[in-house]
Structure formats: structure tokens, C-alpha cells
Amino acid sequence: MGGAPMRRANSDDSQNSQLLDPDDPTITGVRKKCLDDYDDEKRTALKQMDYRRRRKEKQKIKIEFNVTSIIHRQNFLLKLAKALMTFGAPSHRIESQLLAAARILEVDAEFIHLPSVIICSFGDNDTMTSETHFIKSGGGLSLGSLHKVHIIYRAVVHDEISARKATEQLDDLLSAKPLYPWWFRCILSFWLSVLICPLAFGGSFIDMGIAGCGAFALCFLQLRVAAKSAMYANVFEITTAMLVSFTARGLSSIRSQIFCYTAVSSSAIIGILPGYLILSSSLELASKNIVCGSVKMVYALIYTLFLGFGLQIGSDLYLLFDPTARHHLTTLAAEISTSATIVGTFAADNSTSGNSSLSSGLGPIYGTFTFTNNTNVMQTDIIGGCYRPKHFGWYLQPFPFWTQFLIVPLFSILSSLANLQPWRSKQLPVMVVISCASYASNKVANHYIFNRSDIVSAIGAFTVGLLGNVYSRKMGGTAFTSMVTGVLFLVPSGLSQAGGITADGSGVDIGSAMIAVTIGITVGLFMSQALVYMFGTRKNAAVFSF
């Protein structure tokens, strides 16, 4: 079919030093049989020619088809790279997938992935020239479209469709509208904050509605304002966090004390927490993709610091206008405190013991003295950072334990839909099951391990990674998309064990809380990877299936 097929030069020398995609032709042994497009009109016209004209036309078409086929295959690789970046594919798999597609299509190509940029270089061994393309694209997580891209990619590398047809399908996918309209996504954001408020931050029935309204307004600003204004997008996180914190602090300062500041402010901004960035950066670091992994990890931490700074500014701004609330808050913090530390000198006025060190001429004692108050009973009414005395009604009390069996599956379903997962898909039940197992393991671990959000998050991440990889290897599913909801569930759960997103009122402490949760998730995924690798049969496959 055309001239001599182009083959990769010196690309297999480093094959053993890199992680190969499971669909790579060096593993599957599949070779492309339909590199050219057989439905071209010129090829069908050959049957109607005599021998001399057919031979002359074959020599002409031989050159034309070879060129057009290579262009179609190169265009497919460029579209595939753009689609993977647009729909939020994990960057630790992008290079291996593009190299696998280039091998099966017999295109001499090299790829370098940097944050938000993919550099594609196509070489020509005959003319000793190369052509370089820079593909820059950004976008959010879209699980449904990502799964369709993976199906198209597998169809090409398994020689089921031609590159030109695959390019047309990717074009249709890139130009398609989002799966759900913006108003439906705002409703999903409302209910996600409503459900996470009592589940992770100890909110009451009254707090749920306020947190949901804040999340609805936040999602509206994100989809309708920040998406159209580049200037506002730069300050979107800080301004929304300030607005939510200002409102929550104002409601919590009402004398009846029916609203909880921590529950409302933390659950209202749950939709913009960088949970997916943590998952993606952890997978990249696991695959030794140090550049992208470290950049995304640091960005997620700085992004969290922005949120904490916005929450702190909003709270202080309200207290600036309401000095009475500031005084009440300071007094309440002093009453809740069970110990007081004083630096000074201790000297006895009258010593009755002959063995006393003071009477023996050693003089007064200098240092730091801590006095503990064991009679304080007010702290028993503080549950999850919220004031919940027993005389409050049921609508102001934390939810009972049995409600978690209803809230957790419902939250998992809505979280998957918020990440643009189709409602009628076979993977949705799997995602819900893995997410529920993640929360259950996190809850059990927190019952036995206190004040260690990193270890608790590691146990939850280990459960997610183990179930996701087993599902991929044994049932042929896509592990990455099935793991996303479970890992996103670990972020608010881990932060709630670290004191909530407000982190005791300090905008810097929230960064350390996120670091602890991030380290726990990363270690948990590493451990699950090692366990699946030991008992798995495909030792040369990628560490995390797509």
C-alpha cells in the first residue's frame, strides 16, 4: 500500500526504561492493516481501466495515497493529544498512549508533555526533516467524554477503524456541547454541598440550606462569569471564598447561635477544592513524571492557600464591622480553652516544708507554667467545631449515624454526574461502590486512629487504588474514571479530620492540612500499586490503567 512504510528509529532503545500502555503494539502484537483509506474514489476507478492506464495510474496514486495517508494519521495523533488534554486525562498516560498510537499507525513521532502543552514532532527518514507542533489546551474533568476518547483510541490501535474516521469522531467530540447544561450543574453543586455539610463537617439541617445556596452561587459564577471573563477568573477563588466566609460569619454571629460557621463555609466551597489535581499529580509522581506531577502538586497546595486566605479575609472583614461579634468570639475561645500557659517566676511566700527547694536557698523558679482547668463542661456541647447544646431541636443537631447509609451513595452518584459522567452508563454503579468503600474505610480508620489525617487518607486511598486496579484487570474496565469519585470523596473527609477547611481560623494552616491529606492519598495509591503489581500478570503494563 504505497511506498515503503515509515518506521520508528531508535525509539525502542528506551522501551525497557519507560512504562508502556497496555494497548501498545509491542505488547498486543497488533499491526495496522488499513493505513490507507480504501473508500477513495480514485482507487475504485482503477478497476475500469485497461492494463497500461492502470499501471501508469498506480504509480501516480502510489505517491498521492502515501502522502494523504500520513497526513491523516498525523492529524489523528494531534487531535488525540488535544482531546486527552481537553477532557482532563491524567498526563502520566498521555505520552504512552500517543506513542502506542504512533507505533500502530507507523508514524515516526515523538511527544513531550508539559503542563497544558504537548509538543509533537513528526520525522521523515527519506528527506531527513522533521515537523514540530505545539498543542496547547486546557479544560476540566469530563468522565463521559474521556471514556469515549479512550474507546476511539482503542479502536484505532486495535485496527478496527481508520485514522481518518477516528479524526472525524474526535472532531465531533471536541465540538460537542457539555453533557449537562449549566443550570443542571448548578443544581448538582447545590445538592453536593447540602449532603457533604452534615456528612463531613457536622452541619445541621439549617446549615445545609445555607451551604447549598452558597455552592449554587459559586457554581453560577464559575460557569457563567469566570468562564467568560479572563480578568475575573484570576481572582475567582479568592472573591468567592471571601463572599462565602463573610456570609457564614455573619449568620454564625446571630445571638441564637443556630448557624455553624465551620460547617457552612467549608461545605459551600467543596466544589472548587483541588481534589482532582491531587489525584492526577499523585498518579504522575507514581509514574516518575516528576515535572508535571510536582508542578500540579504545588499548584494544588497554593490553590488551597488561596481558598484559606479568602476564607480568613471574609471572616475578619465581617468582624471588622461587628466589634461585638469579635469580642464574643474571643471570649468563647477563652472559655472553651481547657489550659492556660503563663511565662514568669514562681516564688513561695511561706514555706512550711523543710525539704522544700525554696527554703533550702535555691530561690524562685523561672520558666513556663501550664494550668489545666478540668471543670470546664462547655466543651461537651462543641461537636465538630459547632455549638450543639442538648436543648436544641432536632433540626439544629448533627445527623444520626444511620443517615450515612443514605447520604454516602447519593453523594457519590451526584459527584459522578457533576464530573460529567453519563447517567446511563455501566461504570456509574462501579464508581459509586468504590466511593462508598473509600468512605467506609476512611471512617473505620478514623475510629481507631485519632488526629492523623494523613494515615486515615492513606488507608482510604489504598482501598480506592486496590478496587480500581482489580476492576480494570479482572473486568476490563477503565480504572482511572472509576477511581476519580472515590479519591474526590477523600479530600473533604480528610480535611474534616484535620479541623475543617477553615483550619481553626488560620489561612496558612489549611495548607499544612492539605499537605497531610495529599501525602496520605499519594502513599495509599503507591501501596495499592505495589500490591497489584506483585500479584498481577502484566508486569510491563502501565501502573494505573486509564
Side-chain angles (χ1 to χ4, degrees), residues 355-367:
N355 296 327
S356 174
S357 60
L358 295 177
S359 62
S360 59
L362 295 180
I365 300 175
Y366 302 93

Side-chain angles (χ1 to χ4, degrees), residues 117-354:
V117 177
I118 293 181
I119 303 175
C120 305
S121 178
F122 300 110
D124 190 345
N125 294 331
D126 296 334
T127 60
M128 300 301 292
T129 58
S130 63
E131 184 179 357
T132 304
H133 298 264
F134 290 84
I135 302 176
K136 184 177 180 180
S137 178
L141 181 62
S142 179
L143 297 180
S145 300
L146 205 56
H147 183 64
K148 293 179 181 179
V149 171
H150 184 233
I151 293 176
I152 297 173
Y153 158 76
R154 286 180 59 88
V156 172
V157 298
H158 286 277
D159 199 20
E160 296 176 2
I161 60 175
S162 64
R164 188 173 71 174
K165 293 182 180 178
T167 304
E168 295 175 355
Q169 295 180 9
L170 290 178
D171 283 331
D172 296 338
L173 201 59
L174 289 170
S175 59
K177 295 182 178 181
L179 184 62
Y180 303 118
W182 66 269
W183 57 267
F184 183 73
R185 297 174 65 180
C186 291
I187 295 176
L188 289 176
S189 180
F190 172 86
W191 284 107
L192 284 175
S193 294
V194 165
L195 294 176
I196 203 65
C197 183
L199 190 63
F201 303 108
S204 64
F205 187 81
I206 300 296
D207 297 329
M208 293 170 58
I210 304 299
C213 294
F216 186 93
L218 186 148
C219 186
F220 175 81
L221 293 175
Q222 184 180 20
L223 297 178
R224 304 296 295 176
V225 180
K228 298 180 180 180
S229 175
M231 182 175 297
Y232 178 70
N234 295 329
V235 294
F236 164 72
E237 295 84 7
I238 297 180
T239 55
T240 52
M242 287 176 57
L243 179 62
V244 169
S245 180
F246 184 89
T247 305
R249 180 60 71 187
L251 293 174
S252 64
S253 300
I254 298 176
R255 302 192 61 166
S256 59
Q257 297 180 345
I258 62 176
F259 296 100
C260 178
Y261 168 76
T262 302
V264 173
S265 60
S266 298
S267 54
I269 65 171
I270 202 69
I272 58 176
L273 282 180
Y276 174 68
L277 284 176
I278 294 176
L279 169 64
S280 181
S281 59
S282 300
L283 295 175
E284 290 158 7
L285 292 175
S287 300
K288 300 299 184 293
N289 194 349
I290 300 176
V291 176
C292 292
S294 58
V295 168
K296 285 191 175 183
M297 183 73 75
V298 173
Y299 172 73
L301 299 178
I302 299 300
Y303 182 90
T304 309
L305 287 177
F306 282 151
L307 294 181
F309 180 77
L311 291 174
Q312 186 66 29
I313 291 297
S315 176
D316 292 343
L317 186 62
Y318 177 83
L319 296 178
L320 183 64
F321 292 108
D322 192 354
T324 305
R326 178 182 292 275
H327 176 71
H328 178 72
L329 188 64
T330 305
T331 305
L332 183 63
E335 293 177 355
I336 293 176
S337 178
T338 59
S339 63
T341 302
I342 301 175
V343 180
T345 304
F346 178 80
D349 293 336
N350 183 16
S351 177
T352 59
S353 174

